[in-house]
Amino acid sequence: MCGFAGFWSPRGDRGDAAILREMTDSIAHRGPDDEGAWCDNAQGIAVGFRRLSILELSPLGHQPMASVDERYQITFNGEIYNHLEIRAELEALGERFRGHSDTEVLLAALVHWGLEATLARCAGMFAIALWDRDTKTLSLVRDRFGEKPLYYTQAGNTLIYGSELKALRCHPLWRGTIDRNALALYFRHNYMPAPWTIYEDVRKVIPGTIVRIVGDPGAMPVTTVYWSSRAAALAGKGNQLEGSDDEIIGGLEAVLRHTIRQEMVADVPLGAFLSGGIDSSLVVALMQSESARPVRTFTIGFHEKEFNEAEHARAVAKHLGTEHTEAYVSPEEARSVIPRLPTLYDEPFADSSQIPTFLVAALARKQVTVSLSGDGGDELFAGYGRYAALRSSWDRLEQIPPVVRALASRGLGQLAGDGASAVLAQLRPFLPARAARALAPDTLRRMSIALAARSPELVYREMVSYWPRPADLVIGATEASSMLSGEGHWAPLDDAVNRAMYLDTVSYLPDDILVKVDRATMGVSLESRAPLIDHRVAEFAWRVPHRLKLRGGQQKWILRQILYKLVPAALIDRPKMGFGVPVGEWLRGPLREWAEHLLAPERLKREGLLDAQRVAITWAEHLAGRDCSAQLWGMLMFQAWLDAQAESPRCRDEGSSARPAAVGGST
């Protein structure tokens, strides 16, 4: 697990080594154990690396690394879990290795089979920058689910890339202009969906793709898909597993055990996050059954009972016999993380579980360098309650004649308008709480949009949206398209739940969950691995009949059956809890002054990005008792991010402001 950065310019040797050093120093937290650089001034290519040593701790694992024939130069962040299998295959072809790093195996495979064929063989998480000297091609590659980040931009005739945006910002040609259209998309989801970033002309490599720039750094990038969740979902639904429930359960367990065995390989101390929920408990239970010594497990607890899972995790750990560490965190300790978030996450990101995720990562890092997690189980095995809600909603909507739906949609839309909203606001204090919530403008807008929706995907988009019309919040914006809004990205699956699960695997999972975990763990130099989203598990999961995922109202039914063999059901079966903190309560109390400073109307008007009146209304409603914490957290994380850019000087412009220009238009 590491970080890298680089650039390609037609004019080399202009202090390239110094620029590169500044870029890689900015992401030293991703790789504190070693650093490396390689520059080819004749070609104008400069490649830098920071290493967190996990496999092959000797200098034989040093990067950047060249292939034996010196055709390829690679920087590689991540792990190839099946590298020993690939190594054996290459050795049978006559290849000989100096060390035992997966990077050396990856390079040898590239020489033998080429990039696409090598990626098809690899199971793992990775971001790769590969320079091909012979064809003068730079290839930027991201793993299938997007566990590892990779950004790039073209500034004039120079290509700049890196593991985090802060590395790109260190290049002297960097120009950071806020993309208002992408900002609107951020306010819909509270995260920034790929390929967009907060900046114009800066993109994320989409998971499962290769971005190639051939011949010239200013050439148009060409994107190739080498694996897609859409293809995996369609292939799985077209080839459903047959056999008894027990046979299918056994098949999934075998795949999971094989994957977890491979992901437990490390030359450094290894452990796991344990919340006591289905996914993390299953991963830990299988790890312990495959280990000769107690697995190290880590949990944080909160004194607020509604947010605390520590006692459940402790019970699971005791049953399995793990070496368990837990730490209870005070509200003050949790809030002390907030000032770090804008720099840690590098662009606006507003999943408030980023706070406990960072805290548990910091706890684990005191003892281990690698930690496995249960991320991905909800998306692949129907773990979210909103899936059943979608099916129920869509079934009811389909029974309403289209003409009636259109009329109802139009009427609710008018009620949600500014004029009618003012009247309803006067009435709400005199109504029962349930009726008051139903008459909230935001609720009416969502109902209006859902009634007009032509597909379950559009209904689901509204269900997971924090702002139903975020372009109304961002001044001068037209919301950018996304996987959820573009019909060309959808998968024509046979069930509304399957369609929602697919949407989450290409949006919420890579752009929220995996971003949250990567930045939190790498912020403390910890590697996180997620065996439930190994592509072999995912491809098997899409073949599992839906009756084994959601049965009798019970979510993740098939995962539970595997877990029950190792942990008593009484320790597991309870209502699902989010990994969160009481943000809504904090905003009315200890965080109120901070929030009011960031959301001050005069400030918002001066910046010219957000509609100050809409922000003020939302803040007032929250203070009056309506829970608007999720919407407000999105605003606050954006405003705090703006401040962080202003307060952190550009790497090469000491003392100057790095605040992005707030003048972005269409992309």
Side-chain angles (χ1 to χ4, degrees):
M1 187 68 66
C2 311
F4 60 77
F7 54 92
W8 180 16
S9 172
R11 300 173 300 280
D13 198 21
R14 300 168 300 117
D16 287 358
I19 296 170
L20 190 64
R21 179 63 181 267
E22 289 172 345
M23 293 175 72
T24 55
D25 280 355
S26 73
I27 54 172
H29 54 279
R30 297 189 73 92
D33 299 331
D34 189 21
E35 60 182 307
W38 176 83
C39 298
D40 183 337
N41 293 327
Q43 300 284 1
I45 188 84
V47 181
F49 192 73
R50 296 293 311 214
R51 185 182 184 202
L52 177 64
S53 301
I54 304 295
L55 290 172
E56 182 56 273
L57 306 185
S58 78
L60 293 176
H62 181 79
Q63 293 188 50
M65 186 180 291
S67 59
V68 173
D69 61 3
E70 297 189 351
R71 173 178 176 177
Y72 298 111
Q73 192 76 220
I74 195 171
T75 46
F76 161 60
N77 165 28
E79 305 291 344
I80 305 299
Y81 299 127
N82 63 336
H83 72 278
L84 293 177
E85 296 172 5
I86 298 172
R87 179 187 178 114
E89 190 176 356
L90 289 165
E91 287 176 333
L93 296 173
E95 187 70 36
R96 295 294 175 262
F97 295 91
R98 298 179 302 122
H100 66 274
S101 75
D102 52 353
T103 309
E104 188 180 2
V105 172
L106 186 58
L107 271 171
L110 288 166
V111 172
H112 278 270
W113 299 312
L115 183 54
E116 276 90 340
T118 295
L119 293 172
R121 284 174 163 84
C122 290
M125 58 175 181
F126 46 81
I128 299 169
L130 179 70
W131 172 250
D132 184 337
R133 180 195 63 188
D134 290 0
T135 63
K136 201 176 179 183
T137 299
L138 179 66
S139 298
L140 304 176
V141 186
R142 199 165 175 212
D143 64 63
R144 294 170 177 86
F145 283 94
E147 290 186 73
K148 296 295 101 189
L150 186 49
Y151 297 84
Y152 68 98
T153 187
Q154 287 172 305
N157 204 31
T158 295
L159 181 94
I160 313 167
Y161 65 90
S163 297
E164 294 187 19
L165 283 169
K166 55 178 65 71
L168 278 66
R169 286 198 293 263
C170 288
H171 194 281
L173 293 181
W174 168 263
R175 296 293 180 268
T177 300
I178 289 176
D179 184 339
R180 293 173 184 261
N181 299 343
L183 181 59
L185 188 58
Y186 159 77
F187 280 113
R188 180 177 292 280
H189 301 298
N190 275 3
Y191 60 80
M192 197 67 70
W196 310 111
T197 72
I198 188 61
Y199 297 113
E200 288 186 355
D201 302 321
V202 183
R203 295 290 177 262
K204 301 181 182 84
V205 177
I206 295 173
T209 68
I210 306 165
V211 174
R212 285 187 174 92
I213 302 91
V214 182
D216 183 274
M220 179 69 70
V222 176
T223 298
T224 303
V225 177
Y226 70 86
W227 189 90
S228 79
S229 289
R230 187 178 192 273
L234 293 174
K237 301 314 292 184
N239 186 25
Q240 292 283 276
L241 291 166
E242 298 179 352
S244 68
D245 289 358
D246 287 343
E247 289 171 334
I248 297 173
I249 292 166
L252 177 59
E253 181 178 351
V255 174
L256 286 171
R257 285 185 177 277
H258 178 71
T259 299
I260 286 173
R261 276 196 298 271
Q262 289 187 336
E263 297 201 17
M264 290 175 68
V265 175
D267 294 338
V268 292
L270 175 142
F273 301 132
L274 179 61
S275 70
I278 299 296
D279 303 331
S280 67
S281 296
L282 177 59
V283 169
V284 169
L286 292 174
M287 287 176 70
Q288 190 58 72
S289 69
E290 297 289 334
S291 176
R293 62 173 300 277
V295 171
R296 295 173 180 174
T297 53
F298 303 93
T299 301
I300 59 166
F302 297 97
H303 298 289
E304 296 90 346
K305 188 174 180 62
E306 64 271 28
F307 294 95
N308 185 43
E309 289 189 290
E311 59 188 44
H312 305 297
R314 188 187 316 125
V316 172
K318 182 178 180 181
H319 177 80
L320 293 173
T322 70
E323 184 181 321
H324 190 58
T325 299
E326 71 176 24
Y328 271 75
V329 178
S330 70
E332 293 75 21
E333 289 172 310
R335 291 194 294 271
S336 71
V337 176
I338 294 173
R340 296 190 60 175
L341 296 177
T343 302
L344 188 69
Y345 283 87
D346 226 12
E347 62 178 334
F349 181 80
D351 181 337
S352 61
S353 64
Q354 61 199 133
I355 297 172
T357 301
F358 176 82
L359 291 167
V360 75
L363 176 68
R365 187 61 179 93
K366 295 176 181 178
Q367 298 185 40
V368 301
T369 310
V370 178
S371 186
L372 273 64
S373 78
D375 295 309
D378 289 316
E379 291 80 5
L380 290 170
F381 295 97
Y384 293 125
R386 61 180 181 253
Y387 293 149
L390 171 66
R391 176 185 283 163
S392 175
S393 298
W394 182 245
D395 287 347
R396 289 198 301 269
L397 284 171
E398 283 195 302
Q399 294 173 14
I400 302 174
V403 174
V404 176
R405 285 172 60 184
L407 289 171
S409 173
R410 191 176 304 119
L412 289 173
Q414 291 172 349
L415 275 175
D418 292 337
S421 294
V423 175
L424 292 172
Q426 300 298 317
L427 293 174
R428 280 205 303 276
F430 305 101
L431 297 172
R434 186 171 181 179
R437 286 194 298 271
L439 289 174
D442 183 63
T443 303
L444 295 172
R445 288 190 194 97
R446 291 177 189 277
M447 293 171 63
S448 173
I449 293 169
L451 282 165
R454 306 180 311 277
S455 68
E457 284 88 350
L458 292 177
V459 174
Y460 190 64
R461 180 177 180 235
E462 296 313 312
M463 290 178 66
V464 298
S465 294
Y466 291 92
W467 287 87
R469 291 190 176 92
D472 292 345
L473 177 66
V474 181
I475 297 170
T478 300
E479 184 181 351
S481 64
S482 71
M483 293 290 186
L484 275 72
S485 62
E487 295 187 27
H489 300 301
W490 299 346
L493 300 168
D494 58 354
D495 182 271
V497 173
N498 285 327
R499 292 161 85 161
M501 287 166 55
Y502 163 73
L503 289 177
D504 277 341
T505 62
V506 296
S507 56
Y508 182 64
L509 177 63
D511 296 319
D512 185 306
I513 300 297
L514 298 180
V515 168
K516 175 182 65 180
V517 173
D518 175 80
R519 304 307 189 277
T521 55
M522 294 310 296
V524 295
S525 304
L526 176 73
E527 172 171 300
S528 178
R529 301 176 179 179
L532 295 183
I533 53 171
D534 184 286
H535 78 280
R536 297 164 295 186
V537 175
E539 289 172 351
F540 190 97
W542 280 115
R543 296 187 64 203
V544 172
H546 195 70
R547 71 177 192 278
L548 300 186
K549 296 180 181 179
L550 191 60
R551 177 177 288 189
Q554 193 173 59
Q555 300 150 356
K556 294 185 284 196
W557 185 86
I558 189 170
L559 294 185
R560 292 172 186 269
Q561 307 318 302
I562 300 171
L563 181 56
Y564 291 161
K565 299 177 185 180
L566 301 166
V567 177
L571 296 182
I572 299 298
D573 288 343
R574 63 181 187 278
K576 183 179 178 66
M577 292 179 66
F579 193 37
V581 288
V583 168
E585 178 184 326
W586 290 353
L587 291 177
R588 296 188 188 98
L591 293 182
R592 179 169 177 170
E593 183 178 351
W594 169 76
E596 289 182 334
H597 167 71
L598 291 174
L599 302 180
E602 60 274 13
R603 169 186 171 144
L604 297 179
K605 291 174 183 176
R606 183 175 65 252
E607 291 168 344
L609 285 165
L610 304 185
D611 185 311
Q613 182 179 5
R614 292 182 187 275
V615 173
I617 290 171
T618 306
W619 178 242
E621 288 185 345
H622 185 75
L623 293 179
R626 181 176 170 230
D627 184 12
C628 302
S629 58
Q631 293 90 340
L632 289 168
W633 193 249
M635 297 176 192
L636 291 165
M637 285 296 97
F638 172 65
Q639 292 297 110
W641 174 83
L642 276 179
D643 276 357
Q645 307 315 299
E647 293 166 4
S648 299
R650 282 268 300 274
C651 291
R652 295 181 58 80
D653 298 328
E654 294 184 10
S656 68
S657 170
R659 193 182 189 90
V663 295
S666 61
T667 56

